[in-house]
Amino acid sequence: MKNRIITISRQFGSGGRTVGREVAQKLGIPCYDHELIERLAEESGFAKEYIKNESEYRPFGSRLASALNVGTGFDPLTNQDRLWIAQKRMILELGAKESCVIVGRCADAILEDQADCLRVFIHASFEQRAKRIVEVYGETEVPTERRLRDKDKRRISYYQYYTDRTWGDINNYDVALDAGRLGIDKCVEIIAGLY
Amino acid sequence: MKNRIITISRQFGSGGRTVGREVAQKLGIPCYDHELIERLAEESGFAKEYIKNESEYRPFGSRLASALNVGTGFDPLTNQDRLWIAQKRMILELGAKESCVIVGRCADAILEDQADCLRVFIHASFEQRAKRIVEVYGETEVPTERRLRDKDKRRISYYQYYTDRTWGDINNYDVALDAGRLGIDKCVEIIAGLY
């Protein structure tokens, strides 16, 4: 198997983004994470902050809106739907064009039919993720535990809505690693070794 | 993290047992799989074939039996319960005694509190598992698809019943690998490299 593209899905606070950056650096290929949001902003016309905040929310009720508007000529797409379409097109273009690491953004599902895509999932225990988000992002008014639970719920729901797959289902990944137990460096070594 | 014990949970037909044997060989430590059944037979008095066939079935109705027999002096344990108790004791003893690879038998859950236990899950696509079980075990009267589905259902149910955990939940494993996509050799290399 030739792994030209590496997709990294990760639990919030697991260190998956750092793993992605370091794998890309080690392999000398680009890593798309925040860069995708910037490109998406340029192409879609939405503001970066809006994309960052909204693009992980599934549009509640949009199916209903869609059903109610059949045949009326009214565009039933929500902003989230439009963002999803732009994001999907962008990831498919990236996948067809260059070797790279893509962090998050449902890239594993979008590129699932690409034989040369290595699909990675990075996770860690709740306790280790809680510790990490305080270290990396600092404290906020919202309790750490709630920040983690909210983000998890949002990702699971968004992923399920747009891909019809279960987020974190072991069968969807070539490699799943507990970065809390193995450490970031070991994860980077394993993934780079599979490229 | 020092990984003195490696537990390998695996989907039927994924090649997980072969991965376990080869990792043990590479590391020069024992691998327990069929050996556990033999030891269990010696210690429990049950026949090997009985253990092989029954020990992956959860005892339907035993909780009811248990409830009905409270205080009557009648032993409410099913044969499966007795096998489970013997198996658990044996795995805890092995874990306390020596470095080894243990394939299946809920060893990941039984040894979950051992800090020096590397918990591995090996899976593969349905198509690849179907191909492999015909190659390894030959054709039977039962269609391949049904053999896979039955075995999957049995393991999921048995594991859930005795460990109160979900079999194949990505969060329960330090490393999960798709042996169909990565190949047996690469899986062995990664796991041995983590020891």
Side-chain angles (χ1 to χ4, degrees), chain B residues 57-65 78 80 153-154 157 161:
Chain B
Y57 283 102
R58 53 160 283 192
F60 285 104
S62 86
R63 299 262 151 119
L64 179 64
T78 63
Q80 281 101 333
K153 265 166 82 173
R154 211 184 300 165
S157 175
Y161 183 83

Side-chain angles (χ1 to χ4, degrees), chain A residues 1 11 114-115 117-119 121 123-124 168-171 173-178 181-182 186 190 193-194, chain B residues 1 11 114-115 117-119 121 123-124 168-171 173-178 181-182 186 190 193-194:
Chain A
M1 185 172 75
Q11 287 176 342
Q114 301 262 13
C117 174
L118 182 75
R119 302 156 306 162
F121 189 85
H123 57 101
D169 178 340
I170 210 162
N171 295 296
Y173 306 97
D174 301 317
V175 188
L177 302 169
D178 185 328
R181 298 242 308 163
L182 304 177
K186 202 73 205 176
I190 290 173
L194 285 168
Chain B
M1 184 174 77
Q11 287 176 342
Q114 301 262 11
C117 173
L118 182 75
R119 301 156 308 164
F121 189 86
H123 57 99
D169 179 341
I170 210 162
N171 296 296
Y173 305 97
D174 301 317
V175 188
L177 302 169
D178 185 328
R181 297 241 310 162
L182 304 177
K186 203 74 203 175
I190 291 173
L194 286 168

Side-chain angles (χ1 to χ4, degrees), chain B residues 44-150:
Chain B
S44 68
F46 287 109
K48 264 190 286 184
E49 273 313 301
Y50 181 81
I51 295 174
K52 220 168 145 183
N53 293 329
E54 292 302 310
S55 66
E56 275 186 340
Y57 283 102
R58 53 160 283 192
F60 285 104
S62 86
R63 299 262 151 119
L64 179 64
S66 176
L68 288 173
N69 288 302
V70 168
T72 62
F74 179 79
D75 177 3
L77 293 178
T78 63
N79 281 349
Q80 281 101 333
D81 291 339
R82 284 190 204 93
L83 268 177
W84 167 254
I85 292 165
Q87 170 175 321
K88 191 172 170 181
R89 195 182 49 229
M90 188 170 297
I91 287 172
L92 285 171
E93 281 170 9
L94 272 181
K97 202 182 67 182
E98 60 179 333
S99 294
C100 59
V101 174
I102 305 176
V103 178
R105 309 263 136 210
C106 306
D108 57 316
I110 293 170
L111 297 172
E112 74 169 315
D113 297 325
Q114 301 262 11
D116 52 0
C117 173
L118 182 75
R119 301 156 308 164
V120 178
F121 189 86
I122 302 290
H123 57 99
S125 70
F126 198 83
E127 295 69 29
Q128 281 180 301
R129 294 197 288 135
K131 194 166 156 265
R132 192 177 165 89
I133 65 166
V134 171
E135 278 168 14
V136 176
Y137 306 103
E139 299 267 8
T140 66
E141 276 178 22
V142 183
T144 309
E145 189 173 326
R146 216 183 98 205
R147 283 163 74 190
L148 274 181
R149 292 214 189 281
D150 283 355

